[in-house]
């Protein structure tokens, strides 16, 4: 690990902080939401429509996670990184 520069590790941490963490937070919010409000298909809905309604994908949890993490990132930037 001595040959890897510090900037490389900063880029890896930035990747986790800005992409993976908001996605995981949004995914956790959706899982809790589905526990509290389970999906109830209507009588006229097909099996395919019911399965598509339960799908999350990537961007829906990512955007929900960013709505939670966005103010924290903005505060951190304004407090610590603005003058670097």
């Amino acid at each position: 690990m001595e040959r890897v520069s510090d900037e490389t590790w900063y880029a890896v941490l930035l990747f986790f902080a800005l992409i993976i963490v908001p996605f995981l937070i949004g995914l956790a919010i959706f899982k809790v939401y589905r526990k509290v409000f389970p999906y109830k298909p209507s009588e006229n809905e097909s099996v395919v429509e019911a399965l598509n309604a339960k799908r999350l994908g990537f961007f829906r949890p990512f955007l929900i996670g960013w709505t939670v993490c966005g103010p924290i990132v903005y505060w951190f930037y304004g407090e610590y990184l603005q003058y670097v």
Side-chain angles (χ1 to χ4, degrees), residues 13-84:
L13 288 174
L14 185 69
F15 173 76
F16 278 108
L18 296 180
I19 295 176
I20 301 297
V21 173
F23 174 73
L24 292 177
I25 289 173
L27 191 64
I29 289 171
F30 266 104
K31 294 292 183 182
V32 168
Y33 177 79
R34 288 291 182 210
K35 286 268 189 199
V36 174
F37 301 107
Y39 178 73
K40 297 174 187 163
S42 65
E43 296 175 8
N44 298 332
E45 194 172 38
S46 70
V47 175
V48 174
E49 289 173 342
L51 289 175
N52 281 338
K54 290 182 181 180
R55 273 182 156 169
L56 287 179
F58 173 77
F59 287 105
R60 208 181 307 177
F62 184 67
L63 290 176
I64 294 296
W66 258 109
T67 58
V68 173
C69 294
I72 298 168
V73 171
Y74 180 74
W75 171 80
F76 186 78
Y77 176 79
E79 197 70 26
Y80 297 106
L81 298 176
Q82 188 173 9
Y83 301 109
V84 174

